Amino acid sequence: MRAFVVQRYKGPLLETEVTEPTVGARDVLVRVEAAGLNELDEKIRAGEFKRLLRYELPLILGNDVAGTVLSVGPKVVTFKPGDEVYGRPDLNRIGTFAERIALDEADLAPKPASISMVEAGSLPLVALTAWQALVERGNVQPGQKVLIHGGAGGVGSIAIQLATHLGATVATTASGSNADFVRGLGADIVVDYRTQDFEQLLSGYDLVLDSRGGDNLKKSLRVLKPGGKAIGIAGPPDPAFARRTGVNPMLRLAFGAMSASVRRQARSLGVSYEFLFMHADGDQLRQIAALVDRGALRPVVGEVFRFDETVQALESLGTMGLRGKAVISNAYPSAGELVSERQGTQITGEPS
């Protein structure tokens, strides 16, 4: 089958023929009809996680999938051929930039019925990240105040909607050109990161979802109220993350050192910091699908690429200035249909 593969870290993404996926007893073989593009894909290609994620090269990239079940293993009880599904493969089984992929049934869920395959393909990684930050870790309650950085991006655009659904007052950072867009998603307060300093404008927050790291994270700690929590998805990793992932003792020490200054600052302010590296979870995707079908969440697709444009899509990921997500479609629409689709979805301007 055709797939897009990294043969060496920092090397190019290449289209090639690979062997068909092996379908285990609890696996579901899915025909990939859409696959979301994520910054994680580029970071894996560049080798930024090679010490943490022990992938064997060559490696098929891709961390989001929506498609149709082709076959199931003998112990699968949840799905059958013909079912429309979406999911985020386990970290050790990525590879959605391909014609087919086998996933554990626990990592899949029925596709939301009210949206297209392309829209469903945009959701798993960013929606799970938002869910695990706000629900699983943050336990956001009605009336709380939540700050979400990068509100126009993939994670931010879903997190704003989810936090609003949970009853929170939501502030976000975004460019001025995206202010109306993020308000339309549910943001109550919009801080233009180009002209305004959120630390000077915000205070007393219960939770911050930080996607920037560095000084942005340190400033975020200072807008929390005592007992508040900052959840970082850009790092630095913390010792709790090292324990959960079972890395070797040397890496545990390294992660502890990387986050030491942030954790010290958090303690001195009476707040806490946690690093989040999202995990696959089909049950959570079912709950997310229910919110989508009820109209509480809507996918945000900024650009659609054909399967054979995957290399160009990944190369341009950081420069497109999209709202929401870019998605690869394996549906092979005609040129006219694709142009029409892009005219309807492409957003110019600055990300976040």
Side-chain angles (χ1 to χ4, degrees), residues 187-200:
D188 300 288
I189 300 168
V190 182
V191 178
D192 185 341
Y193 68 85
R194 289 177 167 178
T195 61
Q196 297 175 302
D197 183 349
F198 72 88
E199 185 185 359
Q200 301 301 315

Side-chain angles (χ1 to χ4, degrees), residues 260-274:
S261 64
V262 171
R263 289 183 289 114
R264 276 198 302 270
Q265 180 186 356
R267 285 195 299 270
S268 70
L269 294 169
V271 300
S272 62
Y273 164 70
E274 294 181 12

Side-chain angles (χ1 to χ4, degrees), residues 270-285:
V271 300
S272 62
Y273 164 70
E274 294 181 12
F275 174 65
L276 171 63
F277 198 103
M278 60 77 56
H279 57 86
D281 193 310
D283 288 338
Q284 291 179 358
L285 285 174

